[in-house]
Each structure stands twice: as C-alpha cells, then as structure tokens.
C-alpha cells in the first residue's frame, strides 16, 4: 500500500515466495532491475540487457530476446514483441528469410576439431545466454573462461526427436545434462517455473564445471522453449494430427494447404505454427512449448569454454565530446570486439550498455 520501493526494504532472498514477488514486480515494471541485484542475482542476470555481437542483419535478435525476457517475466506479451512477430513471422517467406541467415549447430561445429567434450542441455533457449555466461564468469578463479558464443538454428520441426539425431551425429559421446524440456512440459504456476529453471540451469553448469579437467567444452541445445505460447490461442485447425501440444502437426490426408498461420515443411504434410497461437487446442497456462517456429523455439545457443583466455586487442574511441540533454547518447568506435564481449560505460556510478549500430560504431543507452 505504501509502494514497492518501501516494500523492497523488507524483502529478503530467503524464500521462494519472495523471489516470485520480485519477478512479478520487475515484470510489471513496479521495480527497477538494479533493486534485485543483491537480493536475487539470478534474476538480475536473466533480465540483463541482451547485447550479443552479431552480423548487422541479425541484430534484431538482441531486441527480440530482450522483449521476450520482459514478456516472460511479466507473463504478458509486450507491444514491441508483437510487432517483431508480425514483421518476422508474417508468413512462410519472411520466416525463411531470417532463419536462413543462421547455421545449424551441426553445420557450425562439424569441422571443429578443438572441442573435447559436448554437453547437451535439452530445451536451452537463447534467452538464457546472459544468465548462462554470468554463471560461467564466476568460475574464472577456477581457471575456466568463456571463449565463444554463437546463435544457431534448430532443425524443423523444433522437436527433440528431430534435433537429437543431428546432435548425436556431431559427437557420439554427446552428454546430456539439465533436462529443461522435460520440466517445461509439466503444468506449473507463474512465476514459480522461472525460479525453478534458473536453479536447474545453474546446477547443471556448476555440476559440469566442478568436474572440470581443463578440456574445451561446448554447450549445445536441440531447441528452445516458448513460455508465451500459453498466452496465445488454440486455432483448432481441422484435418490435422497434433504433435507437441499443437505447436506442430501432421496433415492427415493429402498435402497441407498453404496458410499464413504456419509453415509447411519439405514433406508437404508437417506444419509448424508461425506464432504463439497453437494449431490445435490452446497451450495450457504455465507450460513451456516447442515445435513451432517462433524465434525462441527455433534459435539455440552454442557456448564454448576452456582453460584459455581469449587473446584480444580492443581499441575504443569516443566520437563526440558534447552530449545534448534532448539526445543523451554517446557514440564510440570500438574495434576487436568478440561475440562474448558486452561493452558498457559507467557514468556517475550508473552502468549503460552499448549496442552496435553499424560496423564498429556503438551507441550507449
């Protein structure tokens, strides 16, 4: 009643209930991310700015996943995320145009002879990259360093059955750990499942790195998950046999009929939902889903760690000396940035993330 700012003075990090409150309040915009930094560092890390260094044509992925994380924390789809879905997944053609810009995990890693061990985390999505990398960074004192981050595309449909085969072809000794997918399919309450997922992923990373023996490790995933499908509708399309709760399906008789609601795969029978609406009945509340072709289902991370630091030669130059109050942004030329580097500027004890605008030019928040 006296406001969330005052309430935060009485919040502790001790109970699940308090953690859930912080997720709800941050999701609704009642509190700022900085306010949970010490109380709930896992939430602080998960909600961090999404600033991967990628090709210019793929930079939209950063903002999409920032909006996806906001939507997941709020259990409500943001306006900007809806705009991205309408633009990127308007139809089969627009979807193919962005997906074709990403390699599959197998294509990216097939020629890599330097990877000693592969760990497969079933259902690990791109939204977990900031959180995942922060957990790894805490192991620097153990001589473990983050070397590379890549974003790849899963095979379609985005199911474990299809993608498991491709991952095992990549490495016969593929080790599976931290099955987020199995947990996602159970029905749960918001926001408890976010707390549980954080703990599952963190435990998996710690378990692997606690046994670390100096080998080069690649963490891979078969597909991502959408916790926004449960906010969509059930389209109840006739003449199909559902799969994965209606995120994908098979046409029962003849070839699939073209429609803007789904993409048709090469067999001309399998269809995958283009949006958060499911092809048959509505995805139950609190259930993570996959099988469709939203960015969070299709795109997957590849994260590589080793006992060697990246050799880097980074240079930075400020482009303007004066800052206008009406346009309080600063631009820099930064060279030598790798995919794991997230440049920031600290001014008056406040940290501002930088994002690439073009080539080597970065702009502050």
């Amino acid at each position: 009643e006296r406001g969330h700012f005052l309430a935060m003075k009485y919040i502790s990090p001790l109970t699940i209930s308090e953690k859930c409150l912080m997720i709800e309040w941050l999701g609704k915009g009642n509190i700022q991310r900085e306010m949970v930094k010490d109380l709930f560092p896992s939430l602080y890390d998960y909600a961090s700015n999404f600033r991967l260094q990628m090709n210019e044509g793929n930079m939209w992925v950063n903002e999409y996943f920032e909006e996806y994380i906001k939507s997941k924390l709020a259990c409500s789809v943001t306006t900007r995320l809806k705009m991205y879905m309408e633009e990127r997944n308007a139809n089969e053609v627009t979807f193919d145009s962005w997906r074709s810009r990403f390699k599959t995990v197998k294509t990216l890693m097939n020629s890599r002879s330097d990877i000693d061990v592969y760990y497969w985390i079933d259902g690990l999505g791109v939204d977990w990259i900031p959180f995942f990398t922060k957990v790894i960074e805490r192991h620097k004192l153990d001589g473990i360093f983050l070397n590379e981050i890549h974003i790849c595309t899963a095979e379609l449909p985005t199911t474990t059955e299809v993608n498991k085969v491709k991952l095992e072809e990549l490495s016969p000794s593929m080790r599976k750990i931290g099955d987020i997918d199995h947990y996602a399919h159970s029905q749960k309450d918001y926001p408890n499942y976010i707390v549980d997922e954080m703990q599952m992923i963190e435990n998996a990373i710690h378990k692997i790195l606690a046994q670390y023996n100096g080998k080069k490790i690649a963490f891979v995933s078969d597909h991502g998950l959408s916790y926004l499908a449960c906010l969509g509708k059930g389209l109840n399309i006739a003449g199909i046999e559902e799969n994965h709760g209606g995120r994908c399906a098979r046409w029962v008789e003849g070839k699939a009929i073209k429609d803007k609601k789904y993409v048709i795969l090469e067999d001309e029978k399998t269809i995958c939902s283009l949006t958060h609406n499911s092809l048959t009945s509505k995805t139950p509340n609190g259930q993570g889903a996959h099988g469709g072709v939203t960015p969070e289902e299709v795109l997957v991370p590849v994260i590589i760690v080793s006992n060697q630091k990246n050799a880097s030669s980074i240079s930075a130059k400020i482009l303007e000396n004066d800052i206008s109050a009406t346009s309080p942004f600063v631009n820099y030329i930064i060279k030598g940035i790798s995919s794991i580097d997230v440049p920031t500027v600290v001014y008056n004890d406040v940290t501002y993330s930088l994002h690439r605008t073009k080539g080597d030019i970065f702009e502050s928040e």
Side-chain angles (χ1 to χ4, degrees):
E1 290 177 353
R2 293 171 63 186
H4 295 86
F5 181 78
L6 180 65
M8 283 297 292
K9 294 183 178 181
Y10 297 93
I11 285 277
S12 83
L14 300 178
T15 66
I16 297 295
S17 298
E18 288 170 293
K19 289 178 178 179
C20 288
L21 270 180
M22 285 187 270
I23 290 172
E24 287 187 54
W25 292 351
L26 182 62
K28 292 175 182 177
N30 294 325
I31 59 174
Q32 300 300 311
R33 175 172 164 259
E34 290 293 326
M35 297 172 75
V36 303
K37 186 174 183 178
D38 297 322
L39 290 166
F40 196 176
S42 293
L43 176 59
Y44 179 83
D45 292 340
Y46 183 68
S48 61
N49 292 317
F50 212 94
R51 289 290 176 257
L52 288 181
Q53 311 308 327
M54 291 181 289
N55 295 332
E56 201 168 328
N58 296 337
M59 291 303 292
W60 64 272
V61 171
N62 279 324
E63 186 163 0
Y64 180 89
F65 278 97
E66 273 197 11
E67 294 301 316
Y68 172 76
I69 290 167
K70 288 177 186 176
S71 300
K72 183 176 172 181
L73 294 177
C75 200
S76 175
V77 180
T78 68
T79 302
R80 288 195 65 80
L81 189 126
K82 286 178 184 175
M83 288 170 56
Y84 270 112
M85 286 298 299
E86 289 167 3
E87 177 189 348
R88 301 288 168 175
N89 278 22
N91 51 54
E92 199 165 347
V93 175
T94 59
F95 164 71
D96 284 335
S97 68
W98 68 256
R99 180 178 177 258
S100 63
R101 297 179 66 92
F102 294 92
K103 296 178 180 179
T104 65
V105 176
K106 185 180 176 183
T107 302
L108 177 74
M109 303 301 293
N110 205 34
S111 60
R112 293 286 294 260
S113 58
D114 58 325
I115 305 300
D116 298 309
V117 185
Y118 282 90
Y119 280 100
W120 163 29
I121 301 183
D122 193 348
L124 183 71
V126 168
D127 58 304
W128 288 102
I129 289 177
F131 177 88
F132 203 102
T133 55
K134 292 294 184 185
V135 176
I136 290 172
E137 281 176 13
R138 292 200 282 275
H139 285 268
K140 279 183 179 178
L141 292 176
D142 302 323
I144 302 168
F145 301 98
L146 180 64
N147 292 156
E148 301 171 46
I149 299 172
H150 303 279
I151 293 180
C152 297
T153 175
E155 305 279 356
L156 302 184
T158 51
T159 62
T160 301
E161 293 80 9
V162 169
N163 286 277
K164 176 185 178 182
V165 175
K166 299 296 182 181
L167 292 182
E168 289 176 341
E169 286 174 0
L170 183 62
S171 172
S173 59
M174 183 74 65
R175 305 178 187 183
K176 186 175 179 180
I177 190 167
D179 193 346
I180 310 166
D181 184 14
H182 179 75
Y183 173 74
H185 289 307
S186 62
Q187 207 164 331
K188 317 164 280 297
D189 292 328
Y190 160 85
N192 301 61
Y193 55 79
I194 299 175
V195 179
D196 291 342
E197 281 187 314
M198 289 174 177
Q199 196 62 58
M200 288 174 66
I201 293 171
E202 190 163 359
N203 287 346
I205 300 169
H206 286 320
K207 184 177 180 180
I208 294 166
L209 298 186
Q211 304 167 2
Y212 187 71
N213 57 5
K215 293 184 177 181
K216 196 165 196 174
I217 297 173
F219 295 94
V220 297
S221 176
D222 52 344
H223 56 76
L225 291 165
S226 179
Y227 270 94
L228 303 186
C230 63
L231 303 178
K233 297 182 293 187
L235 299 175
N236 296 309
I237 297 172
I240 62 173
E241 186 180 87
E242 78 162 2
N243 192 350
H244 278 71
R247 295 304 298 154
C248 53
R250 186 170 178 79
W251 211 262
V252 176
E253 293 184 13
K255 296 179 180 178
I257 300 167
K258 284 191 175 292
D259 197 299
K260 290 183 178 180
K261 298 182 181 74
Y262 49 76
V263 297
I264 304 173
L265 303 191
E266 287 181 6
D267 64 1
E268 298 184 314
K269 282 184 169 292
T270 306
I271 58 176
C272 304
S273 177
L274 272 165
T275 67
H276 294 121
N277 297 327
S278 291
L279 302 172
T280 52
S281 56
K282 178 188 176 299
T283 302
N285 290 338
Q287 189 168 305
H290 62 96
V293 296
T294 61
E296 64 266 27
E297 294 169 279
V298 170
L299 297 178
V300 293
V302 173
I303 300 171
I304 299 172
V305 302
S306 76
N307 60 355
Q308 300 293 319
K309 260 187 177 180
N310 282 348
S312 60
S313 179
I314 298 172
S315 64
K317 179 183 178 183
I318 193 166
L319 289 182
E320 56 272 287
N321 293 319
D322 298 318
I323 304 172
S324 166
T326 56
S327 181
F329 307 103
V330 185
N331 286 284
Y332 304 83
I333 293 178
I334 306 177
K335 296 182 179 180
I337 290 285
S338 75
S339 63
I340 68 165
D341 295 318
V342 182
T344 58
V345 173
V346 179
Y347 178 72
N348 280 351
D349 295 326
V350 178
T351 300
Y352 300 90
S353 292
L354 305 182
H355 60 274
R356 192 192 299 268
T357 57
K358 188 178 181 181
D360 294 325
I361 298 177
F362 289 76
E363 183 181 75
S364 73
E365 291 175 336

